[in-house]
Amino acid sequence: MSAKITLGTTVSQLFLTMSTFAQTPLAYTLSPWFENKKAAVSITFDDNCDGQFTSALPEMNKRNIRGTFYVNTGQGSCSNPTRWDLIKTAAVANHEIGAHTINHLDLNTVSESEITHQVKDCRDTINARLGNQKCLTIAYPFGSGGTIAESEKVRNIVKQYFISGRGAGINYEVGYIPYNTYKNTNFTNWDYQVESYAVEAKTTKSEYDIVLDRTIQNGGWFIPQYHGIDRGNEFGIIPSSLFIEHVTSIAQRANSIWAAPYVEAFMYHKEKRNATLVAASEDNNGWVLELKDFLPNNIYNHPLTVRLKRPSWMVYAITQNNQQLSYTTDGDTLQFNAVPDNGSIIVNKTALAVFEKVKEEVEVSAFPNPLSSNCYISYTLKSSCNIKVDLFNAQGTLLSTLVHEKQSAGAHKVEVNAGNFSSGMYFFRLSGDVISTINPLIVNQN
């Protein structure tokens, strides 16, 4: 047998044909942007100039637009010393605080040890000063580290400490990043070569509106880059009146644009491109679905927007990890937000089914995983119950039933012989009277 979906495969639409479903295949899609918005916009600021916090931040907060402030933690371009009191006002309002190095050095011109000092110590200082959020992204001073091949040494160091690096130099005739950038780029490591649009005093509202509308039309990601607002360094100072026009244009397009900090838009983009949606089962209670992206869960935990064809029966609730999820209906489609790798998603068909599927927690593990030959699935039951352990391939085809019996409370272990399996993704489901959980098995025969 073979598995056609392997680790890292991108699946944006998956038609599920598991044998446990009694009806026709169900169509599921993951929206390109959160809440099924057509495009994303991430306002970014460089150099922590005071006017960004005193003039721009209040206008963003009024319109419920969150952005990213890339700060220098030492003597940078705009503030000496760094105004942590102002930076914290943005962090408290749930804006992202990202790194812009300590002293705004051109990273292409310094040694590797100095690059490490500038990026790591900047990140660590931000984390120590704020505490309520992790510093996960960086903007390169002067854009050095982003697009040019000579900056590879910069990117190799930066990726040890950040999940993404924002550069500069986007094509001004376009102004936005297409959603399918991963397919259409010549960059070797796009996560650390994300371009932005430098906003200047000459960037009129009409020009800004053209880029916004192009972004919506093409489903892209617009990342405007601001510096001084009213005052600041010598580069890119714009009046607050122009900034107000820009954010007003974004707010007027709120039905189509997801305005989010850079880190959230980046996370969503990466999670969606790595996620798979798998049907676990259907029974009298409803559907059991699994959303997996196999990225580090301590970092990548932004909800993805799921759209699926409505079932023929009434939906009473949708739950994940014993929590009810809000959902909407759009014609024959259900839409809800779920976090990858955060437990089974249950679409309940009866009112009594809500929270009924998982009545007790169960510890489940597989070791080794990934595996090449054999592994053991271990689990501990809190009480005696009927237990079934099934093994599926990535398409949801039942390969074998490993256990189907009543078992006593306590620790149990079952062996999986994968010696004849092709490399790829598999799943095992542990189910019983009060338990239902599904977990991945990764087979690597290389």
Side-chain angles (χ1 to χ4, degrees), residues 187-411:
F187 294 159
T188 57
N189 194 339
W190 187 84
D191 290 358
Y192 298 91
Q193 297 176 282
V194 180
E195 297 176 307
S196 60
Y197 180 103
V199 180
E200 302 175 354
K202 63 182 180 181
T203 307
T204 65
K205 180 182 183 300
S206 60
E207 291 173 342
Y208 203 86
D209 288 350
I210 288 172
V211 177
L212 285 176
D213 291 335
R214 285 175 177 170
T215 308
I216 294 170
Q217 181 180 357
N218 294 280
W221 182 16
F222 178 39
I223 309 173
Q225 171 199 150
Y226 293 89
H227 290 79
I229 307 294
D230 286 331
R231 59 190 182 277
N233 59 9
E234 69 280 2
F235 179 79
I237 301 175
I238 73 168
S240 57
S241 58
L242 180 59
F243 180 80
I244 291 173
E245 290 183 342
H246 292 170
V247 292
T248 299
S249 291
I250 294 174
Q252 289 171 342
R253 294 162 173 80
N255 289 335
S256 300
I257 287 179
W258 175 38
Y262 176 96
V263 67
E264 292 186 21
F266 174 82
M267 279 187 182
Y268 190 99
H269 188 280
K270 187 159 186 174
E271 286 178 19
K272 192 267 180 183
R273 288 192 164 275
N274 284 273
T276 60
L277 193 63
V278 178
S281 65
E282 179 182 14
D283 57 22
N284 291 333
N285 292 326
W287 297 340
V288 180
L289 313 175
E290 297 294 333
L291 181 61
K292 304 284 186 178
D293 65 12
F294 306 106
L295 297 169
N297 294 331
N298 63 327
I299 296 176
Y300 292 94
N301 52 21
H302 197 284
L304 293 179
T305 299
V306 180
R307 289 175 61 82
L308 58 94
K309 187 175 181 180
R310 292 178 63 182
S312 57
W313 33 264
M314 179 180 291
V315 174
Y316 279 87
I318 301 176
T319 63
Q320 184 183 35
N321 197 21
N322 239 19
Q323 300 293 320
Q324 290 202 53
L325 305 180
S326 299
Y327 67 93
T328 60
T329 58
D330 176 14
D332 65 349
T333 301
L334 291 173
Q335 178 177 307
F336 58 90
N337 303 319
V339 178
D341 303 317
N342 192 40
S344 298
I345 301 167
I346 303 175
V347 182
N348 297 281
K349 66 170 65 174
T350 67
L352 294 177
V354 181
F355 304 131
E356 182 178 321
K357 195 64 179 176
V358 182
K359 294 182 180 177
E360 67 176 38
E361 295 180 358
V362 59
E363 296 181 3
V364 183
S365 64
F367 183 83
N369 190 14
L371 67 148
S372 59
S373 56
N374 290 19
C375 79
Y376 289 91
I377 298 171
S378 301
Y379 52 94
T380 301
L381 303 177
K382 292 185 178 181
S383 60
S384 175
C385 62
N386 293 308
I387 287 295
K388 191 178 181 184
V389 181
D390 295 315
L391 182 65
F392 300 90
N393 65 13
Q395 289 75 36
T397 302
L398 177 64
L399 303 178
S400 63
T401 297
L402 306 174
V403 174
H404 193 184
E405 63 184 16
K406 185 169 185 177
Q407 294 186 331
S408 60

Side-chain angles (χ1 to χ4, degrees), residues 117-162:
H117 169 60
Q118 288 287 326
V119 303
K120 179 181 182 299
D121 288 12
C122 179
R123 180 203 66 171
D124 292 347
T125 298
I126 292 171
N127 286 337
R129 286 278 189 168
L130 300 182
N132 63 334
Q133 61 171 265
K134 294 180 181 179
C135 178
L136 295 174
T137 71
I138 185 171
Y140 307 104
F142 308 104
S144 301
T147 58
I148 63 175
E150 290 79 3
S151 301
E152 190 65 26
K153 72 170 185 178
V154 176
R155 292 190 290 274
N156 286 338
I157 294 172
V158 163
K159 67 184 180 182
Q160 299 177 44
Y161 305 103
F162 302 92

Side-chain angles (χ1 to χ4, degrees), residues 52-84:
Q52 298 170 359
F53 304 97
T54 58
S55 298
L57 179 62
E59 298 299 332
M60 295 173 68
N61 290 341
K62 286 179 186 177
R63 295 163 177 81
N64 196 29
I65 295 174
R66 295 181 300 122
T68 298
F69 295 81
Y70 286 112
V71 304
N72 303 118
T73 54
Q75 182 178 350
S77 298
C78 287
S79 66
N80 185 16
T82 301
R83 291 285 305 274
W84 287 104

